[in-house]
Amino acid sequence: MTTKELLLELARKYHHEVTVEADFEPGVTPLLPAGAVLAEDDRIALVEAALELRINTGGASRRFESRFARYYGLRKAHLVNSGSSANLLAASALTSPLLEERRLEPGDEVVTVAAGFPTTVNPIVQNGLTPVFVDVELGTYNATAERVAEAIGPRTRAIMMAHALGNPFEVAEIAALAEERELFLVEDNCDAVGSTYQGRLTGTFGDYATVSFYPAHHLTMGEGGCVLTDNLALARIIESLRDWGRDCWCEPGEDNKCMKRFSYQMGELPHGYDHKYIFSHVGYNLKATDLQGALGLTQLEKLPDFVDARRRNWRRLREALDGLPGLLLPSATPGSDPSWFGFVLTVRPDAPFTRKELVDFLEARRIGTRRFFAGNLTRHPAYLDRPHRIAGDLTNSDTITESSFWIGVHPRLTVEMVDYMAGSIMEFVSRRH
């Protein structure tokens, strides 16, 4: 047995020593709203990558990109260091000079939703673009194609929206609207890996799709994200922006693989300037490491089981709580099969209790809760003095701000845990009626 084999065997032994599943104790065991599922093969993948000192982007990262793109049936996936960076790259790519007359300019508008997470909106603002906020529907917590259509104005050039907590928005209709109006569509698919709309995976309808691999999400790399596209020209822009803005497509450490390294003349540089150091975008360094890629490969193999568990847990909560007074329960967008990220509850205006009272009760029972992200983003201090436009009213987004929260459905939650969560909610409501 080699030293490496011995170390990996010890890592397996260590995994079993530290992975002891304690019995579930209602009211004592914390039921977190989100959490990663990490197994022996995940630990071994990380240890092996560390032993080989694969500390930058390498073979595991590229294999993950290839397999993840294949999962979606798309041509390109680019691994990055976070889902937030994935959104930043997708929005920034729309301003690339390579898009010529389709390039977004400062002041151009991007339609998005008010009730969501800031990292869908921040890249719009950071690129000097103007977010146009639309309201969502209570129950699905998504905007409709009708709301988006009504928000489009003379300067609107793109749509950038997230599938809310894994529940798809009307993405086929919105993609058709984008094509008709010659708008770009960016699908923020960070919460919705494995969701389908009209039998097709979300993340495959837009010009770009983004994914997060933060521990709360469907797959984890600890940190990490991805930008996907079926358009090779758009993929090239993402790669350049991710990799310092350079024009060269050779991997770092590769010299003259294209056989044209000293044959270019670009900008005002002399002919033959080293292509590895020609920059065609004002870019970033947002690459991930091979440790993350190695973990992503083992996580990806478990995705079908993860999605099944999320659907099972959500469905069990929905069936148990059906008809409970005082609460608006979530519903899937018609035509969709969500890979749920969480289970949203909205306290109705006529309920004899408040959101805070219910949340306090659940938290006291160690049932973790989360707000529906930022609620109405336009009410936050970060956006009060930023240029934006509101299309229609944001009544439902305000309701979400005041009255909505969500609990977990992730694969670490067992049937017993889910039943305890449902039973606790039913007990609270019964005491108030």
PDB file of all heavy atoms in Angstrom, residues 24 31 309 312-318 320-321 367 407-410 412-426:
ATOM      1  N   PHE A  24     -32.832  11.579  16.763  1.00  0.00           N
ATOM      2  CA  PHE A  24     -33.569  12.839  16.740  1.00  0.00           C
ATOM      3  C   PHE A  24     -34.336  13.030  18.041  1.00  0.00           C
ATOM      4  O   PHE A  24     -35.107  12.156  18.452  1.00  0.00           O
ATOM      5  CB  PHE A  24     -34.528  12.859  15.552  1.00  0.00           C
ATOM      6  CG  PHE A  24     -35.492  14.008  15.570  1.00  0.00           C
ATOM      7  CD1 PHE A  24     -35.025  15.318  15.613  1.00  0.00           C
ATOM      8  CD2 PHE A  24     -36.870  13.785  15.553  1.00  0.00           C
ATOM      9  CE1 PHE A  24     -35.913  16.390  15.630  1.00  0.00           C
ATOM     10  CE2 PHE A  24     -37.753  14.848  15.572  1.00  0.00           C
ATOM     11  CZ  PHE A  24     -37.281  16.145  15.604  1.00  0.00           C
ATOM     12  N   LEU A  31     -33.247  21.758  13.833  1.00  0.00           N
ATOM     13  CA  LEU A  31     -33.694  21.479  12.469  1.00  0.00           C
ATOM     14  C   LEU A  31     -33.438  22.725  11.634  1.00  0.00           C
ATOM     15  O   LEU A  31     -34.270  23.635  11.563  1.00  0.00           O
ATOM     16  CB  LEU A  31     -35.173  21.096  12.463  1.00  0.00           C
ATOM     17  CG  LEU A  31     -35.542  19.874  13.312  1.00  0.00           C
ATOM     18  CD1 LEU A  31     -37.019  19.552  13.179  1.00  0.00           C
ATOM     19  CD2 LEU A  31     -34.692  18.665  12.932  1.00  0.00           C
ATOM     20  N   ALA A 309     -35.403  13.836  -2.353  1.00  0.00           N
ATOM     21  CA  ALA A 309     -35.631  14.101  -0.929  1.00  0.00           C
ATOM     22  C   ALA A 309     -36.291  15.452  -0.725  1.00  0.00           C
ATOM     23  O   ALA A 309     -37.199  15.602   0.111  1.00  0.00           O
ATOM     24  CB  ALA A 309     -34.308  14.023  -0.170  1.00  0.00           C
ATOM     25  N   ARG A 312     -39.909  15.128  -1.705  1.00  0.00           N
ATOM     26  CA  ARG A 312     -40.627  14.328  -0.698  1.00  0.00           C
ATOM     27  C   ARG A 312     -40.938  15.158   0.537  1.00  0.00           C
ATOM     28  O   ARG A 312     -42.066  15.160   1.035  1.00  0.00           O
ATOM     29  CB  ARG A 312     -39.776  13.118  -0.314  1.00  0.00           C
ATOM     30  CG  ARG A 312     -40.364  12.232   0.786  1.00  0.00           C
ATOM     31  CD  ARG A 312     -39.276  11.429   1.465  1.00  0.00           C
ATOM     32  NE  ARG A 312     -38.385  12.278   2.262  1.00  0.00           N
ATOM     33  CZ  ARG A 312     -37.101  12.026   2.480  1.00  0.00           C
ATOM     34  NH1 ARG A 312     -36.523  10.969   1.928  1.00  0.00           N
ATOM     35  NH2 ARG A 312     -36.387  12.850   3.240  1.00  0.00           N
ATOM     36  N   ASN A 313     -39.963  15.863   1.057  1.00  0.00           N
ATOM     37  CA  ASN A 313     -40.160  16.636   2.282  1.00  0.00           C
ATOM     38  C   ASN A 313     -41.147  17.778   2.077  1.00  0.00           C
ATOM     39  O   ASN A 313     -41.991  18.050   2.940  1.00  0.00           O
ATOM     40  CB  ASN A 313     -38.814  17.179   2.784  1.00  0.00           C
ATOM     41  CG  ASN A 313     -37.915  16.082   3.311  1.00  0.00           C
ATOM     42  OD1 ASN A 313     -38.369  14.988   3.644  1.00  0.00           O
ATOM     43  ND2 ASN A 313     -36.618  16.360   3.389  1.00  0.00           N
ATOM     44  N   TRP A 314     -41.035  18.457   0.929  1.00  0.00           N
ATOM     45  CA  TRP A 314     -41.970  19.557   0.644  1.00  0.00           C
ATOM     46  C   TRP A 314     -43.392  19.015   0.538  1.00  0.00           C
ATOM     47  O   TRP A 314     -44.337  19.582   1.108  1.00  0.00           O
ATOM     48  CB  TRP A 314     -41.572  20.259  -0.657  1.00  0.00           C
ATOM     49  CG  TRP A 314     -42.362  21.508  -0.941  1.00  0.00           C
ATOM     50  CD1 TRP A 314     -42.032  22.782  -0.595  1.00  0.00           C
ATOM     51  CD2 TRP A 314     -43.633  21.591  -1.622  1.00  0.00           C
ATOM     52  NE1 TRP A 314     -43.007  23.658  -1.026  1.00  0.00           N
ATOM     53  CE2 TRP A 314     -43.992  22.961  -1.650  1.00  0.00           C
ATOM     54  CE3 TRP A 314     -44.472  20.650  -2.209  1.00  0.00           C
ATOM     55  CZ2 TRP A 314     -45.166  23.397  -2.247  1.00  0.00           C
ATOM     56  CZ3 TRP A 314     -45.660  21.090  -2.789  1.00  0.00           C
ATOM     57  CH2 TRP A 314     -45.988  22.456  -2.812  1.00  0.00           C
ATOM     58  N   ARG A 315     -43.554  17.925  -0.181  1.00  0.00           N
ATOM     59  CA  ARG A 315     -44.889  17.346  -0.378  1.00  0.00           C
ATOM     60  C   ARG A 315     -45.496  16.886   0.958  1.00  0.00           C
ATOM     61  O   ARG A 315     -46.687  17.074   1.202  1.00  0.00           O
ATOM     62  CB  ARG A 315     -44.786  16.175  -1.349  1.00  0.00           C
ATOM     63  CG  ARG A 315     -46.121  15.569  -1.752  1.00  0.00           C
ATOM     64  CD  ARG A 315     -45.958  14.615  -2.922  1.00  0.00           C
ATOM     65  NE  ARG A 315     -44.961  13.596  -2.656  1.00  0.00           N
ATOM     66  CZ  ARG A 315     -43.779  13.509  -3.264  1.00  0.00           C
ATOM     67  NH1 ARG A 315     -43.430  14.407  -4.183  1.00  0.00           N
ATOM     68  NH2 ARG A 315     -42.936  12.536  -2.970  1.00  0.00           N
ATOM     69  N   ARG A 316     -44.668  16.319   1.827  1.00  0.00           N
ATOM     70  CA  ARG A 316     -45.165  15.851   3.125  1.00  0.00           C
ATOM     71  C   ARG A 316     -45.651  17.029   3.977  1.00  0.00           C
ATOM     72  O   ARG A 316     -46.695  16.943   4.638  1.00  0.00           O
ATOM     73  CB  ARG A 316     -44.057  15.079   3.844  1.00  0.00           C
ATOM     74  CG  ARG A 316     -44.555  14.223   5.000  1.00  0.00           C
ATOM     75  CD  ARG A 316     -43.478  13.279   5.496  1.00  0.00           C
ATOM     76  NE  ARG A 316     -44.007  12.394   6.529  1.00  0.00           N
ATOM     77  CZ  ARG A 316     -44.568  11.207   6.290  1.00  0.00           C
ATOM     78  NH1 ARG A 316     -44.673  10.767   5.041  1.00  0.00           N
ATOM     79  NH2 ARG A 316     -45.023  10.464   7.294  1.00  0.00           N
ATOM     80  N   LEU A 317     -44.911  18.139   3.960  1.00  0.00           N
ATOM     81  CA  LEU A 317     -45.352  19.341   4.669  1.00  0.00           C
ATOM     82  C   LEU A 317     -46.647  19.881   4.068  1.00  0.00           C
ATOM     83  O   LEU A 317     -47.596  20.247   4.799  1.00  0.00           O
ATOM     84  CB  LEU A 317     -44.266  20.409   4.614  1.00  0.00           C
ATOM     85  CG  LEU A 317     -43.076  20.266   5.557  1.00  0.00           C
ATOM     86  CD1 LEU A 317     -41.984  21.274   5.193  1.00  0.00           C
ATOM     87  CD2 LEU A 317     -43.490  20.463   7.012  1.00  0.00           C
ATOM     88  N   ARG A 318     -46.693  19.939   2.762  1.00  0.00           N
ATOM     89  CA  ARG A 318     -47.863  20.523   2.077  1.00  0.00           C
ATOM     90  C   ARG A 318     -49.131  19.723   2.380  1.00  0.00           C
ATOM     91  O   ARG A 318     -50.199  20.298   2.643  1.00  0.00           O
ATOM     92  CB  ARG A 318     -47.610  20.574   0.558  1.00  0.00           C
ATOM     93  CG  ARG A 318     -48.675  21.335  -0.241  1.00  0.00           C
ATOM     94  CD  ARG A 318     -48.684  22.784   0.141  1.00  0.00           C
ATOM     95  NE  ARG A 318     -49.552  23.590  -0.696  1.00  0.00           N
ATOM     96  CZ  ARG A 318     -50.881  23.615  -0.629  1.00  0.00           C
ATOM     97  NH1 ARG A 318     -51.502  22.853   0.267  1.00  0.00           N
ATOM     98  NH2 ARG A 318     -51.587  24.397  -1.422  1.00  0.00           N
ATOM     99  N   ALA A 320     -49.645  17.716   4.993  1.00  0.00           N
ATOM    100  CA  ALA A 320     -49.979  17.775   6.416  1.00  0.00           C
ATOM    101  C   ALA A 320     -50.646  19.090   6.785  1.00  0.00           C
ATOM    102  O   ALA A 320     -51.538  19.127   7.648  1.00  0.00           O
ATOM    103  CB  ALA A 320     -48.719  17.575   7.247  1.00  0.00           C
ATOM    104  N   LEU A 321     -50.243  20.174   6.147  1.00  0.00           N
ATOM    105  CA  LEU A 321     -50.729  21.511   6.531  1.00  0.00           C
ATOM    106  C   LEU A 321     -51.908  21.982   5.686  1.00  0.00           C
ATOM    107  O   LEU A 321     -52.424  23.074   5.926  1.00  0.00           O
ATOM    108  CB  LEU A 321     -49.580  22.524   6.428  1.00  0.00           C
ATOM    109  CG  LEU A 321     -48.356  22.242   7.304  1.00  0.00           C
ATOM    110  CD1 LEU A 321     -47.271  23.290   7.047  1.00  0.00           C
ATOM    111  CD2 LEU A 321     -48.725  22.199   8.778  1.00  0.00           C
ATOM    112  N   ILE A 367     -36.782  24.624  15.581  1.00  0.00           N
ATOM    113  CA  ILE A 367     -37.108  24.550  14.153  1.00  0.00           C
ATOM    114  C   ILE A 367     -36.652  25.858  13.516  1.00  0.00           C
ATOM    115  O   ILE A 367     -37.234  26.921  13.769  1.00  0.00           O
ATOM    116  CB  ILE A 367     -38.619  24.332  13.931  1.00  0.00           C
ATOM    117  CG1 ILE A 367     -39.053  22.993  14.547  1.00  0.00           C
ATOM    118  CG2 ILE A 367     -38.956  24.366  12.437  1.00  0.00           C
ATOM    119  CD1 ILE A 367     -40.555  22.802  14.595  1.00  0.00           C
ATOM    120  N   ILE A 407     -39.264  27.411   5.988  1.00  0.00           N
ATOM    121  CA  ILE A 407     -38.580  26.373   6.753  1.00  0.00           C
ATOM    122  C   ILE A 407     -37.980  25.372   5.776  1.00  0.00           C
ATOM    123  O   ILE A 407     -38.288  25.381   4.586  1.00  0.00           O
ATOM    124  CB  ILE A 407     -39.539  25.665   7.738  1.00  0.00           C
ATOM    125  CG1 ILE A 407     -40.748  25.102   6.997  1.00  0.00           C
ATOM    126  CG2 ILE A 407     -39.972  26.632   8.833  1.00  0.00           C
ATOM    127  CD1 ILE A 407     -41.712  24.332   7.900  1.00  0.00           C
ATOM    128  N   GLY A 408     -37.117  24.511   6.276  1.00  0.00           N
ATOM    129  CA  GLY A 408     -36.313  23.672   5.404  1.00  0.00           C
ATOM    130  C   GLY A 408     -37.022  22.446   4.861  1.00  0.00           C
ATOM    131  O   GLY A 408     -37.964  21.918   5.452  1.00  0.00           O
ATOM    132  N   VAL A 409     -36.517  21.975   3.712  1.00  0.00           N
ATOM    133  CA  VAL A 409     -36.939  20.698   3.118  1.00  0.00           C
ATOM    134  C   VAL A 409     -35.721  19.904   2.629  1.00  0.00           C
ATOM    135  O   VAL A 409     -35.863  18.956   1.875  1.00  0.00           O
ATOM    136  CB  VAL A 409     -37.927  20.915   1.945  1.00  0.00           C
ATOM    137  CG1 VAL A 409     -39.209  21.569   2.412  1.00  0.00           C
ATOM    138  CG2 VAL A 409     -37.280  21.754   0.832  1.00  0.00           C
ATOM    139  N   HIS A 410     -34.538  20.282   3.064  1.00  0.00           N
ATOM    140  CA  HIS A 410     -33.300  19.728   2.518  1.00  0.00           C
ATOM    141  C   HIS A 410     -33.140  18.251   2.879  1.00  0.00           C
ATOM    142  O   HIS A 410     -33.818  17.736   3.793  1.00  0.00           O
ATOM    143  CB  HIS A 410     -32.098  20.540   3.004  1.00  0.00           C
ATOM    144  CG  HIS A 410     -31.991  20.630   4.493  1.00  0.00           C
ATOM    145  ND1 HIS A 410     -31.342  19.684   5.250  1.00  0.00           N
ATOM    146  CD2 HIS A 410     -32.451  21.564   5.371  1.00  0.00           C
ATOM    147  CE1 HIS A 410     -31.407  20.025   6.531  1.00  0.00           C
ATOM    148  NE2 HIS A 410     -32.067  21.164   6.629  1.00  0.00           N
ATOM    149  N   ARG A 412     -31.153  16.422   4.554  1.00  0.00           N
ATOM    150  CA  ARG A 412     -30.765  15.985   5.895  1.00  0.00           C
ATOM    151  C   ARG A 412     -31.965  15.816   6.824  1.00  0.00           C
ATOM    152  O   ARG A 412     -31.861  15.218   7.895  1.00  0.00           O
ATOM    153  CB  ARG A 412     -29.769  16.976   6.504  1.00  0.00           C
ATOM    154  CG  ARG A 412     -28.374  16.868   5.916  1.00  0.00           C
ATOM    155  CD  ARG A 412     -27.474  17.996   6.340  1.00  0.00           C
ATOM    156  NE  ARG A 412     -27.370  18.144   7.791  1.00  0.00           N
ATOM    157  CZ  ARG A 412     -26.677  19.108   8.382  1.00  0.00           C
ATOM    158  NH1 ARG A 412     -26.055  20.017   7.634  1.00  0.00           N
ATOM    159  NH2 ARG A 412     -26.602  19.187   9.691  1.00  0.00           N
ATOM    160  N   LEU A 413     -33.102  16.348   6.422  1.00  0.00           N
ATOM    161  CA  LEU A 413     -34.307  16.234   7.237  1.00  0.00           C
ATOM    162  C   LEU A 413     -34.986  14.891   6.965  1.00  0.00           C
ATOM    163  O   LEU A 413     -35.334  14.574   5.836  1.00  0.00           O
ATOM    164  CB  LEU A 413     -35.266  17.381   6.923  1.00  0.00           C
ATOM    165  CG  LEU A 413     -34.754  18.784   7.266  1.00  0.00           C
ATOM    166  CD1 LEU A 413     -35.698  19.840   6.708  1.00  0.00           C
ATOM    167  CD2 LEU A 413     -34.597  18.951   8.773  1.00  0.00           C
ATOM    168  N   THR A 414     -35.202  14.130   8.003  1.00  0.00           N
ATOM    169  CA  THR A 414     -35.862  12.832   7.887  1.00  0.00           C
ATOM    170  C   THR A 414     -37.375  13.017   7.928  1.00  0.00           C
ATOM    171  O   THR A 414     -37.894  14.095   8.258  1.00  0.00           O
ATOM    172  CB  THR A 414     -35.436  11.906   9.027  1.00  0.00           C
ATOM    173  OG1 THR A 414     -35.920  12.461  10.274  1.00  0.00           O
ATOM    174  CG2 THR A 414     -33.916  11.760   9.093  1.00  0.00           C
ATOM    175  N   VAL A 415     -38.084  11.955   7.611  1.00  0.00           N
ATOM    176  CA  VAL A 415     -39.543  11.977   7.674  1.00  0.00           C
ATOM    177  C   VAL A 415     -39.999  12.335   9.090  1.00  0.00           C
ATOM    178  O   VAL A 415     -40.936  13.123   9.279  1.00  0.00           O
ATOM    179  CB  VAL A 415     -40.112  10.616   7.235  1.00  0.00           C
ATOM    180  CG1 VAL A 415     -41.601  10.512   7.587  1.00  0.00           C
ATOM    181  CG2 VAL A 415     -39.906  10.417   5.743  1.00  0.00           C
ATOM    182  N   GLU A 416     -39.357  11.780  10.102  1.00  0.00           N
ATOM    183  CA  GLU A 416     -39.697  12.074  11.488  1.00  0.00           C
ATOM    184  C   GLU A 416     -39.522  13.561  11.793  1.00  0.00           C
ATOM    185  O   GLU A 416     -40.362  14.179  12.468  1.00  0.00           O
ATOM    186  CB  GLU A 416     -38.818  11.239  12.428  1.00  0.00           C
ATOM    187  CG  GLU A 416     -39.156  11.395  13.896  1.00  0.00           C
ATOM    188  CD  GLU A 416     -38.235  10.606  14.802  1.00  0.00           C
ATOM    189  OE1 GLU A 416     -37.202  10.074  14.307  1.00  0.00           O
ATOM    190  OE2 GLU A 416     -38.532  10.530  16.014  1.00  0.00           O
ATOM    191  N   MET A 417     -38.447  14.140  11.295  1.00  0.00           N
ATOM    192  CA  MET A 417     -38.206  15.563  11.509  1.00  0.00           C
ATOM    193  C   MET A 417     -39.260  16.418  10.817  1.00  0.00           C
ATOM    194  O   MET A 417     -39.776  17.388  11.387  1.00  0.00           O
ATOM    195  CB  MET A 417     -36.815  15.938  11.009  1.00  0.00           C
ATOM    196  CG  MET A 417     -35.675  15.314  11.784  1.00  0.00           C
ATOM    197  SD  MET A 417     -34.085  15.625  10.945  1.00  0.00           S
ATOM    198  CE  MET A 417     -32.943  14.817  12.080  1.00  0.00           C
ATOM    199  N   VAL A 418     -39.584  16.070   9.587  1.00  0.00           N
ATOM    200  CA  VAL A 418     -40.589  16.823   8.834  1.00  0.00           C
ATOM    201  C   VAL A 418     -41.941  16.735   9.528  1.00  0.00           C
ATOM    202  O   VAL A 418     -42.669  17.734   9.638  1.00  0.00           O
ATOM    203  CB  VAL A 418     -40.662  16.308   7.385  1.00  0.00           C
ATOM    204  CG1 VAL A 418     -41.841  16.941   6.644  1.00  0.00           C
ATOM    205  CG2 VAL A 418     -39.357  16.603   6.642  1.00  0.00           C
ATOM    206  N   ASP A 419     -42.301  15.565  10.014  1.00  0.00           N
ATOM    207  CA  ASP A 419     -43.572  15.407  10.710  1.00  0.00           C
ATOM    208  C   ASP A 419     -43.601  16.233  11.999  1.00  0.00           C
ATOM    209  O   ASP A 419     -44.648  16.777  12.379  1.00  0.00           O
ATOM    210  CB  ASP A 419     -43.821  13.930  11.027  1.00  0.00           C
ATOM    211  CG  ASP A 419     -44.168  13.119   9.791  1.00  0.00           C
ATOM    212  OD1 ASP A 419     -44.448  13.731   8.742  1.00  0.00           O
ATOM    213  OD2 ASP A 419     -44.150  11.877   9.874  1.00  0.00           O
ATOM    214  N   TYR A 420     -42.461  16.342  12.664  1.00  0.00           N
ATOM    215  CA  TYR A 420     -42.379  17.172  13.871  1.00  0.00           C
ATOM    216  C   TYR A 420     -42.582  18.645  13.517  1.00  0.00           C
ATOM    217  O   TYR A 420     -43.291  19.383  14.233  1.00  0.00           O
ATOM    218  CB  TYR A 420     -41.032  16.971  14.561  1.00  0.00           C
ATOM    219  CG  TYR A 420     -40.776  17.905  15.714  1.00  0.00           C
ATOM    220  CD1 TYR A 420     -41.496  17.794  16.903  1.00  0.00           C
ATOM    221  CD2 TYR A 420     -39.816  18.909  15.616  1.00  0.00           C
ATOM    222  CE1 TYR A 420     -41.272  18.668  17.968  1.00  0.00           C
ATOM    223  CE2 TYR A 420     -39.573  19.777  16.676  1.00  0.00           C
ATOM    224  CZ  TYR A 420     -40.308  19.648  17.844  1.00  0.00           C
ATOM    225  OH  TYR A 420     -40.082  20.506  18.893  1.00  0.00           O
ATOM    226  N   MET A 421     -41.994  19.082  12.422  1.00  0.00           N
ATOM    227  CA  MET A 421     -42.178  20.462  11.980  1.00  0.00           C
ATOM    228  C   MET A 421     -43.647  20.734  11.673  1.00  0.00           C
ATOM    229  O   MET A 421     -44.225  21.739  12.123  1.00  0.00           O
ATOM    230  CB  MET A 421     -41.303  20.727  10.750  1.00  0.00           C
ATOM    231  CG  MET A 421     -39.810  20.691  11.029  1.00  0.00           C
ATOM    232  SD  MET A 421     -38.803  20.441   9.539  1.00  0.00           S
ATOM    233  CE  MET A 421     -39.174  21.896   8.608  1.00  0.00           C
ATOM    234  N   ALA A 422     -44.266  19.831  10.901  1.00  0.00           N
ATOM    235  CA  ALA A 422     -45.681  20.008  10.551  1.00  0.00           C
ATOM    236  C   ALA A 422     -46.555  19.970  11.798  1.00  0.00           C
ATOM    237  O   ALA A 422     -47.469  20.797  11.965  1.00  0.00           O
ATOM    238  CB  ALA A 422     -46.101  18.921   9.563  1.00  0.00           C
ATOM    239  N   GLY A 423     -46.277  19.019  12.689  1.00  0.00           N
ATOM    240  CA  GLY A 423     -47.070  18.907  13.910  1.00  0.00           C
ATOM    241  C   GLY A 423     -46.965  20.130  14.791  1.00  0.00           C
ATOM    242  O   GLY A 423     -47.952  20.550  15.424  1.00  0.00           O
ATOM    243  N   SER A 424     -45.783  20.722  14.838  1.00  0.00           N
ATOM    244  CA  SER A 424     -45.592  21.928  15.650  1.00  0.00           C
ATOM    245  C   SER A 424     -46.406  23.089  15.094  1.00  0.00           C
ATOM    246  O   SER A 424     -47.025  23.852  15.852  1.00  0.00           O
ATOM    247  CB  SER A 424     -44.104  22.295  15.698  1.00  0.00           C
ATOM    248  OG  SER A 424     -43.349  21.290  16.353  1.00  0.00           O
ATOM    249  N   ILE A 425     -46.416  23.248  13.789  1.00  0.00           N
ATOM    250  CA  ILE A 425     -47.194  24.329  13.173  1.00  0.00           C
ATOM    251  C   ILE A 425     -48.683  24.111  13.432  1.00  0.00           C
ATOM    252  O   ILE A 425     -49.413  25.046  13.800  1.00  0.00           O
ATOM    253  CB  ILE A 425     -46.899  24.415  11.668  1.00  0.00           C
ATOM    254  CG1 ILE A 425     -45.436  24.839  11.449  1.00  0.00           C
ATOM    255  CG2 ILE A 425     -47.837  25.402  10.984  1.00  0.00           C
ATOM    256  CD1 ILE A 425     -44.957  24.707  10.018  1.00  0.00           C
ATOM    257  N   MET A 426     -49.143  22.867  13.278  1.00  0.00           N
ATOM    258  CA  MET A 426     -50.557  22.574  13.517  1.00  0.00           C
ATOM    259  C   MET A 426     -50.933  22.814  14.974  1.00  0.00           C
ATOM    260  O   MET A 426     -52.011  23.342  15.271  1.00  0.00           O
ATOM    261  CB  MET A 426     -50.862  21.132  13.106  1.00  0.00           C
ATOM    262  CG  MET A 426     -50.822  20.921  11.595  1.00  0.00           C
ATOM    263  SD  MET A 426     -51.392  19.280  11.075  1.00  0.00           S
ATOM    264  CE  MET A 426     -50.003  18.261  11.587  1.00  0.00           C
TER     265      MET A 426
END
